[in-house]
Structure formats: structure tokens, C-alpha cells
Amino acid sequence: MPLADAADRHASIDVLRAIAIALMVVVHFAENLSGWHGAAGSAFAGVHRTWWLPTGFAAPTFTFLAGASYRLWLDLQRRRGRSEAAIAKGTVRRGLFLIGLGFVFNVLIWLPEDVFNWDILTLIGCGMLALEVARRMPDAVVLLAATLAIAVAPAMRVMVGYTAYWAQGYFDYDFTLADVAIGWLVTGYFPIFPWLAYPLAGYALGRQPAAGKRGSVVVGASLVATAAALVLTWPSLPTAVTGGALQAWTMFPASTAYVLGTLGGVMLALAALQGLLDGPVPRCRGLVAWTTPLSRHSLTLYLAHHALHVWPLWAVGMATSDDPTALWQVAMPVAWAIGLAAGFLIAAAVVCRWADRTGMPSAESMMRWICD
């Protein structure tokens, strides 16, 4: 979610975040409305079997950019002479705000039984709290912490029995302190291990100016190459690396190959956009003009696109079968879902530009009002 001040925005980050928004909307509409629509053996029998759907790239981009945007915001606050105590209070408030909003979101969107599913809002909130500590440390130490979060995750999944929490194909837990804590750390949708690595890496690596792009490219390409090597050698690797997973590239759980590959891919994409858009001469002004409002309102769009397609799903399911989840993933053909996603994105682009002109209240303005 955007944390950089409007006066210190980078076009590369805004464009990349807007791309992540588009991926997120398409994936969520397709998964929730059409994931298992049609015969079980069809080409779209489960979104994770469909190679052309951009599953798994939006969340790494959002979480990496959360760290990069925080670094920009932090540098700006210090240039303006804001005290370290005030920065700490603002950071902690934002983290707690996002965690609280994440719990409210889970109850209102996914129903009360999923309040502790540890979705991306609670992850980013925890990331903000972690960055409050990380900002006091050298970047090398922050990168070491990110590396450890990735390295220990497979062994932790084996230790707690990850597959038992995903027997139905989604995260299922008991309302006990142990299950809630294990979900937060290891087995939820976006647990601390390994997902905390993305905002930490974004903080340490994502702010690079033109002079640092070459290093970002080298690191990003190395991570992608390492991920490719893991994919090719996966069956022969120890459980400490694979976590017992049969497939090398999975988002749930976030396999080591997936984390390294997506992390490297985001770094390469950001470096490419920095070279294209962040120079002294403005480029692609039309693209930047339409994507910046989307980036600026990414939190609002995250909340809104869920409400606009999930709430009708629950309402129709309840009206037709007394089961709000009756139509989940089987509501319509995938082409219809993709069409609805495209319609939402077009409307969002127009509404976000209008909101910027009129100063319409948003989730972002509420967060600033509460936290700053």
C-alpha cells in the first residue's frame, strides 16, 4: 500500500503498483467467481492449473513495494526534520491500523469464521511494525533477516504439519490460540515466514536511484536464476528446502522457488521501470497520469473490488440456497469474470482520477488522518 508522500512519488513505483492492482483484480474475480466453474476436467478446473492467469505475482509486488514506499516516506520525513519519535509513532500507528483493518476486512468480506486467515492486510501491517525496527539497522542486517525468513519457512511448515491446515484446498483452522499463532507464523494465507521477506527486501533494495539500478538488476537476475535452478532440481532437494512440497512453484505454501523467483522478478521489473520513467525527462506521461491515481488509491481499490464481487456472491447464494458460499468459484464462466474485472478496472481508473481532483475521502485519507 502506498506510503510515500505525494510530493516524493516515483513514477516507476506507481506504474508497477498499478500493474499489480490489475493482476490482483483479474485473479480475484476469476478465482472467486469462476475458479471451478464447469466440468472438473475443463481447462479452467482450478485457477492454479491455468498457466495464462497471472496467479501469484500481485501479492509479491504489493508487499515488496510496501517496503520500498516506506523507505521513500522515511527519507522524506527525515528531510522535513520530523523527529525520530514522531516517525516511530506514525509507523506503529500505520502498522496497527492495517492489522486492525485486516481483521475487519476478513469479517466483513470472508465472514466471521475467517477472521484469522492472515490475509495480505495483516501481513503488510506486521511488515510496518517490523520496518520500525529494521529502519534502525544497516541494510545488510535487514537483508539477512529477509534471507532467514525465507530459509527457515520450509522446515517450519514440516514441523507444524502445513498440509493438515489445507486439506480442503484453503486455510482451515480451529479457534485456538495455538492454531491462530501457527497460522500467523507459518500456515495462513500470508504468514510471517516467508512473506515478511518481501517488505524487508523492498525496504533495503527498492529505493535504488539510477546509480543503484545495475546492482538491482544483478541481484534480481541472480534470484530468478536461483529459482529456475530450484525448479529444475526440485525432486532431488532436501526437505529443508522443499518443505515436503511435491511442486516446485506454489503460492500456498510460498515455496522457496516461488519466493526467490517472484522477488527477483519484481526487482527486475522495478529496475526496468526506473530506467524508463524516473529520469530527468518525463516519459510515458499518459501512462503515468492514469496509473498514479490507481497506485495512490490501492488500499481503497483492494477493499472495494472485494466488496463489489464477493458481497453479491454471498447475497445470491443465501437467497437461492440458504448457503452464502454456494456460488463461490462456480458462479459464472471465466470469460464473464474476466469481463467484469476489466469493467471494474476501467471504472476504477476514471473514479480514482475524479477522486484526486475532488479530494474525495478514501481509505488512504482515513489512514493518514488517524496515523499521521
Side-chain angles (χ1 to χ4, degrees), residues 11-30:
S12 57
I13 289 181
D14 283 329
V15 170
L16 187 57
R17 187 180 283 114
I19 292 171
I21 290 169
L23 297 178
M24 171 189 70
V25 170
V26 170
V27 168
H28 287 166
F29 272 70

Side-chain angles (χ1 to χ4, degrees), residues 122-140:
T122 49
L123 169 68
I124 295 177
C126 291
M128 288 297 103
L129 299 181
L131 289 174
E132 166 54 26
V133 178
R135 73 183 182 87
R136 307 168 189 275
M137 300 178 179
D139 288 347

Side-chain angles (χ1 to χ4, degrees), residues 270-317:
L270 182 58
L273 289 173
Q274 285 174 332
L276 177 65
L277 301 174
D278 291 347
V281 179
R283 299 177 182 176
C284 305
R285 294 184 179 182
L287 174 65
V288 174
W290 281 99
T291 54
T292 298
L294 291 174
S295 175
R296 187 178 290 120
H297 297 285
S298 60
L299 178 56
T300 298
L301 293 176
Y302 178 81
L303 302 173
H305 92 280
H306 275 96
L308 287 175
H309 81 279
V310 173
W311 279 348
L313 199 66
W314 297 162
V316 175

Side-chain angles (χ1 to χ4, degrees), residues 178-190:
D179 270 17
V180 169
I182 289 172
W184 174 58
L185 292 172
V186 188
T187 59
Y189 281 96
F190 295 97

Side-chain angles (χ1 to χ4, degrees), residues 109-200:
I109 297 296
W110 299 120
L111 308 179
E113 57 265 31
D114 278 335
V115 62
F116 293 115
N117 66 13
W118 303 110
D119 212 337
I120 195 166
L121 286 179
T122 49
L123 169 68
I124 295 177
C126 291
M128 288 297 103
L129 299 181
L131 289 174
E132 166 54 26
V133 178
R135 73 183 182 87
R136 307 168 189 275
M137 300 178 179
D139 288 347
V141 175
V142 178
L143 289 176
L144 176 61
T147 302
L148 291 175
I150 298 170
V152 303
M156 292 181 71
R157 289 195 290 267
V158 173
M159 182 175 63
V160 302
Y162 181 94
T163 55
Y165 292 89
W166 287 78
Q168 304 300 319
Y170 54 84
F171 177 51
D172 188 18
Y173 66 96
D174 294 328
F175 276 90
T176 65
L177 180 60
D179 270 17
V180 169
I182 289 172
W184 174 58
L185 292 172
V186 188
T187 59
Y189 281 96
F190 295 97
I192 295 298
F193 298 95
W195 281 93
L196 190 62
Y198 288 99
L200 292 177

Side-chain angles (χ1 to χ4, degrees), residues 2 38 48 71 107 120 159 167 178 241 246 264-265 304 327 332 336 338:
H48 297 291
R71 187 66 172 261
V107 171
I120 195 166
M159 182 175 63
V241 176
L246 298 178
L327 296 177
M332 62 183 65
W336 294 14
I338 298 297

